Amino acid sequence: MSELLHVKDLVVKYKTDLETVSAVNGISFSLNKGETIGLVGETGAGKTTTAMTLLRLLPERTGKIERGEIIFNGENLLEADKKRMREIRGEKIAMIFQDPMTALDPVMVVGDQIKEALVFHNRGKLTNEQIDARVEEVLELVGIPASRKNDYPHQFSGGMKQRVVIAIALVCEPDLLIADEPTTALDVTIQAQVLIMMKELRDRLGTSMIMITHDLGIVAQVCDKVAVMYAGEIVEQGTLEDIFAGDRHHPYTVGLFGAIPNINDDAERLNPIDGLMPDPTNLPTGCSFSPRCPHCTERCTLEHPAVHTVNGHSISCHLFEKEVEG
Amino acid sequence: MERIPLVETRHLKKYFDVAAGKLHAVDDVSIQIYEGQTLGVVGESGCGKSTLGRTILRLLEATDGEVLFEGQNILKYNKAEMRGMRRKMQMIFQDPYSSINPRLTVEDIIAEYMIVNKSFGGNRREIYQRTAELMDIVGLAKRLARAYPHELDGGRRQRIGIARALSLSPKFIVCDEPVSALDVSIQAQILNLLMDLQKEMGLTYMFITHNLSVVKHISTDIAVMYLGQCVERAPYQELFANPRHPYTKKLLSAIPVPDLSMRNKQIQPIRGEVTSPINPKPGCRFMSRCEFACEKCAEPLGEPTDFGNHHTCLCVRCREDL
């Protein structure tokens, strides 16, 4: 399989006069064509900042990319100029935003909102009739009758609006689809409909996908690879089997699995992770998970752990150093 | 073991007047909540679960029906009687950001209910002593007593909400989505706290949530609501093992499970979306989305079918093997 996206040692900071927020601290991952990677983590782990950086949509004044490379189809996106980025956004990389209620323009009919990207990226290839036909095709694809293309967003329910947002993202058949918590605002039954639809579309169009979520259940259903993020770092990364079935894990991954109530499990008590996420303006020296880690040693508080990789399953924790060498 | 209901609703109805007609938010709901146990109420957004909780506490006036608390119909109580009653029943709100006063310190927020209710004969020193105890019970550090809510994170704010609800030593607490605004690792801390408090103080909870994994974890009994009606009710093991209502079955299968063995299971999602609760037709409200719908479903619904063992279901075909 050929590599579509490779993110290397990406560091993103938000700088204001008062403070510097270390949002993403040196993450690396890659994604092949047709694959889906899940970015998992709690609020403030840097998942959305990563997505915004890929699209170069960080706030101009405060968001700073300190170092790293984003290689997309052989091109380093961090070196692309504004004009080139505009060509890529929507056509090559598209994004499904978290909240369908605010992602749509309330005073524009949905058909026109879907059409926007097509017209912008058209460059005279398609006639108006072809564009209209494509809009109708995409609407049908996401399960909305084409006759509703002249309706306004408020005439749709939450699940339908999210489908419209997905239709907008898919209309140019992007190579990479970034879905930022696409179902968090939806009810479980609607969530199931949307997830099934996204899976079908991915299989049919061969799109690669980055699925950002905090729901491990969704990851297990949809993704091929998983990257667990904590305080702006990927603490564990591997295939779905590595993360869900393997017996070696980063202590944070173990904590995350222990903290979710499992519907198939009859445990009396949950095992929450003690403490809170570290303040991103003031990250601890050493391992950023060390203040909450049950296996914390003195070394963890002083020295930042390296990434230890075995058969593509990587964990950044001092605990796994010996296993890799031996 | 015979269980005594602490709170019971009988044919409780709450309709809202809207421009298009009557919105049936809670329609003919009869549930029992047993002393020292937890009733989990689940359903999609707009199914009336929050309205049910609020109507039971009389934060909203019921349109019809009865709410029995320790056998007394509290809907007949006058204002003064209700004020006494409110000490016994409290609420924990969904959003810890908007449900506490940003201009009071943590200890003042927790003490407020006791000051208003003149606990300890209105003796401030004793009230603040009790406040310190409550902070200890819910796991808030003493140094935070003079802090303001904006200095705290969501989990700690929700702990303030819990301490405040406990301050009048209630018997019954309605928890309205108390963990849905929190991150998973914090959510587990709060759920454990609620369960510990229940064990120590013998509290009775009505736990409203849309998260079925959470509800299974904390509840003794579960009521599934759909468009204002309680479509199925059963002890939690029974509900998860033998769901009877087609809606419950769909709801259970729609949850994404963090387990690889379930990855390739074929989910049959519910087609369509919740229909309008304004002036609903008689008959089953799930009918338009149900694959087992038949002519009988359009007829007005009778009493729910009782399977014994506290398991009831509001579906005309639930006795058949579907």
Side-chain angles (χ1 to χ4, degrees):
Chain A
M1 253 193 280
S2 58
E3 195 174 74
L4 178 74
L5 176 77
H6 193 127
V7 176
K8 260 189 245 170
D9 195 27
L10 186 69
V11 177
V12 182
K13 291 192 161 76
Y14 292 108
K15 285 187 173 167
T16 65
D17 291 344
L18 294 173
E19 55 190 16
T20 303
V21 178
S22 312
V24 174
N25 306 314
I27 64 166
S28 304
F29 65 90
S30 68
L31 187 64
N32 291 331
K33 286 213 168 84
E35 261 186 344
T36 302
I37 188 169
L39 288 186
V40 200
E42 295 175 71
T43 314
K47 312 184 293 283
T48 302
T49 302
T50 306
M52 290 301 190
T53 313
L54 291 180
L55 281 169
R56 300 280 304 279
L57 285 174
L58 290 170
E60 260 180 43
R61 280 167 183 277
T62 52
K64 297 274 185 290
I65 301 164
E66 299 260 301
R67 70 165 194 264
E69 276 176 41
I70 299 172
I71 311 290
F72 175 76
N73 267 340
E75 180 183 0
N76 187 354
L77 293 188
L78 296 184
E79 281 161 11
D81 58 10
K82 282 189 176 174
K83 185 167 166 287
R84 177 71 189 133
M85 270 323 289
R86 269 204 298 275
E87 287 166 12
I88 289 170
R89 269 182 225 132
E91 191 177 9
K92 302 275 184 263
I93 308 179
M95 181 147 176
I96 299 171
F97 292 93
Q98 180 165 4
D99 186 356
M101 320 299 163
T102 53
L104 294 173
D105 186 337
V107 294
M108 200 169 168
V109 297
V110 297
D112 287 348
Q113 300 193 42
I114 297 170
K115 205 193 299 186
E116 247 186 339
L118 266 185
V119 173
F120 184 84
H121 293 294
N122 186 18
R123 287 176 240 123
K125 275 176 280 175
L126 297 171
T127 62
N128 280 342
E129 287 74 37
Q130 281 171 316
I131 288 179
D132 284 338
R134 173 75 187 140
V135 168
E136 287 178 17
E137 188 189 325
V138 165
L139 273 174
E140 297 279 358
L141 190 71
V142 297
I144 297 175
S147 57
R148 295 200 63 183
K149 68 172 180 174
N150 290 324
D151 284 354
Y152 288 91
H154 75 266
Q155 289 165 295
F156 292 88
S157 65
M160 298 279 259
K161 272 188 237 177
Q162 191 58 284
R163 283 158 197 261
V164 173
V165 174
I166 294 172
I168 293 173
L170 288 175
V171 71
C172 291
E173 303 198 345
D175 299 326
L176 175 64
L177 188 62
I178 304 174
D180 187 4
E181 310 245 7
T183 57
T184 310
L186 308 175
D187 279 313
V188 271
T189 57
I190 311 296
Q191 168 176 301
Q193 292 174 3
V194 170
L195 288 179
I196 290 170
M197 190 193 80
M198 288 177 67
K199 256 161 104 176
E200 284 172 5
L201 293 175
R202 184 194 61 197
D203 294 344
R204 185 152 18 131
L205 306 174
T207 313
S208 305
M209 212 153 78
I210 298 179
M211 177 69 110
I212 297 175
T213 179
H214 60 258
D215 188 333
L216 288 164
I218 294 178
V219 172
Q221 311 280 312
V222 181
C223 301
D224 307 308
K225 290 206 264 185
V226 188
V228 181
M229 289 191 74
Y230 184 78
E233 289 170 55
I234 293 179
V235 294
E236 183 170 353
Q237 184 171 190
T239 62
L240 198 61
E241 286 74 22
D242 288 337
I243 306 289
F244 281 79
D247 46 4
R248 292 190 309 170
H249 295 295
H250 191 280
Y252 176 66
T253 314
V254 177
L256 202 60
F257 273 91
I260 40 169
N262 188 339
I263 201 113
N264 290 335
D265 190 19
D266 253 334
E268 222 350 70
R269 279 178 70 87
L270 297 167
N271 300 304
I273 311 168
D274 284 331
L276 301 164
M277 277 270 243
D279 180 357
T281 60
N282 184 20
L283 288 173
T285 46
C287 171
S288 49
F289 187 60
S290 62
R292 300 174 80 182
C293 182
H295 311 291
C296 177
T297 62
E298 201 188 329
R299 186 178 171 204
C300 300
T301 61
L302 299 171
E303 192 184 326
H304 196 274
V307 181
H308 305 293
T309 310
V310 179
N311 296 333
H313 180 191
S314 57
I315 300 173
S316 67
C317 177
H318 290 309
L319 282 177
F320 298 95
E321 193 176 46
K322 282 199 192 96
E323 295 189 36
V324 177
E325 287 166 355
Chain B
M1 191 186 75
E2 195 45 48
R3 300 190 293 177
I4 321 147
L6 178 75
V7 180
E8 192 176 355
T9 69
R10 287 189 187 158
H11 306 289
L12 189 68
K13 290 180 186 145
K14 174 67 193 172
Y15 298 165
F16 291 103
D17 283 316
V18 292
K22 286 229 183 296
L23 188 149
H24 294 222
V26 173
D27 206 359
D28 207 354
V29 171
S30 302
I31 51 168
Q32 294 84 36
I33 306 172
Y34 298 96
E35 187 142 15
Q37 301 190 328
T38 304
L39 175 77
V41 179
V42 283
E44 292 171 81
S45 44
C47 72
K49 46 192 198 303
S50 287
T51 307
L52 177 65
R54 281 162 192 255
T55 312
I56 289 176
L57 293 184
R58 277 190 81 184
L59 296 175
L60 290 169
E61 285 303 324
T63 308
D64 195 21
E66 292 176 12
V67 176
L68 305 182
F69 188 91
E70 296 178 318
Q72 300 287 314
N73 184 3
I74 60 166
L75 296 186
K76 292 222 168 71
Y77 279 19
N78 62 28
K79 251 188 167 167
E81 286 171 319
M82 204 52 220
R83 205 171 301 137
M85 214 44 233
R86 287 240 157 82
R87 281 177 214 151
K88 296 188 189 168
M89 38 212 283
Q90 287 294 332
M91 183 147 181
I92 298 169
F93 294 91
Q94 173 168 10
D95 184 357
Y97 297 90
S98 62
S99 62
I100 51 183
N101 190 334
R103 302 185 61 169
L104 292 183
T105 60
V106 171
E107 59 175 0
D108 288 336
I109 294 167
I110 301 172
E112 195 181 15
Y113 288 13
M114 292 188 279
I115 295 170
V116 171
N117 278 284
K118 299 200 172 59
S119 305
F120 305 105
N123 182 326
R124 291 292 167 106
R125 225 175 51 115
E126 283 181 53
I127 286 177
Y128 278 92
Q129 229 162 30
R130 175 74 184 143
T131 306
E133 277 172 41
L134 285 165
M135 287 182 65
D136 194 43
I137 291 170
V138 299
L140 284 168
K142 281 206 170 52
R143 66 187 160 82
L144 298 174
R146 299 279 161 82
Y148 285 90
H150 74 264
E151 298 172 54
L152 309 179
D153 58 89
R156 291 217 177 89
R157 281 188 229 191
Q158 198 54 288
R159 286 173 198 266
I160 300 176
I162 295 171
R164 178 174 67 173
L166 291 173
S167 63
L168 297 171
S169 310
K171 286 190 158 172
F172 174 58
I173 301 181
V174 174
C175 310
D176 190 359
E177 306 250 15
V179 294
S180 42
L182 306 175
D183 261 318
V184 275
S185 71
I186 311 298
Q187 175 180 315
Q189 294 173 4
I190 299 291
L191 286 176
N192 278 349
L193 173 67
L194 286 170
M195 287 191 284
D196 292 343
L197 292 172
Q198 178 168 48
K199 239 175 250 163
E200 283 159 32
M201 306 183 178
L203 296 168
T204 306
Y205 292 140
M206 175 170 162
F207 198 95
I208 299 167
T209 181
H210 64 271
N211 187 332
L212 280 149
S213 315
V214 167
V215 89
K216 183 187 181 194
H217 197 81
I218 198 164
S219 310
T220 339
D221 295 273
I222 295 175
V224 181
M225 285 189 72
Y226 187 77
L227 275 183
Q229 294 175 326
C230 171
V231 293
E232 185 161 9
R233 218 174 60 75
Y236 82 92
Q237 305 96 329
E238 169 77 7
L239 188 93
F240 279 87
N242 299 311
R244 297 282 184 170
H245 198 285
Y247 176 65
T248 315
K249 289 179 191 172
K250 289 285 185 189
L251 201 60
L252 294 181
S253 73
I255 313 165
V257 189
D259 188 339
L260 292 185
S261 58
M262 306 300 235
R263 182 167 157 90
N264 293 317
K265 119 188 132 160
Q266 277 301 313
I267 306 173
Q268 299 291 329
I270 310 183
R271 281 160 298 134
E273 308 199 6
V274 182
T275 43
S276 165
I278 299 168
N279 295 335
K281 293 192 196 80
C284 178
R285 293 187 184 171
F286 185 58
M287 198 178 134
S288 59
R289 299 170 81 187
C290 182
E291 55 197 297
F292 306 113
C294 62
E295 289 139 40
K296 270 192 294 179
C297 300
E299 293 165 21
L301 292 164
E303 286 293 306
T305 316
D306 194 343
F307 290 93
N309 194 21
H310 299 282
H311 190 166
T312 59
C313 176
L314 194 70
C315 173
V316 288
R317 301 192 66 184
C318 63
R319 279 215 183 274
E320 299 165 38
D321 197 20
L322 297 176

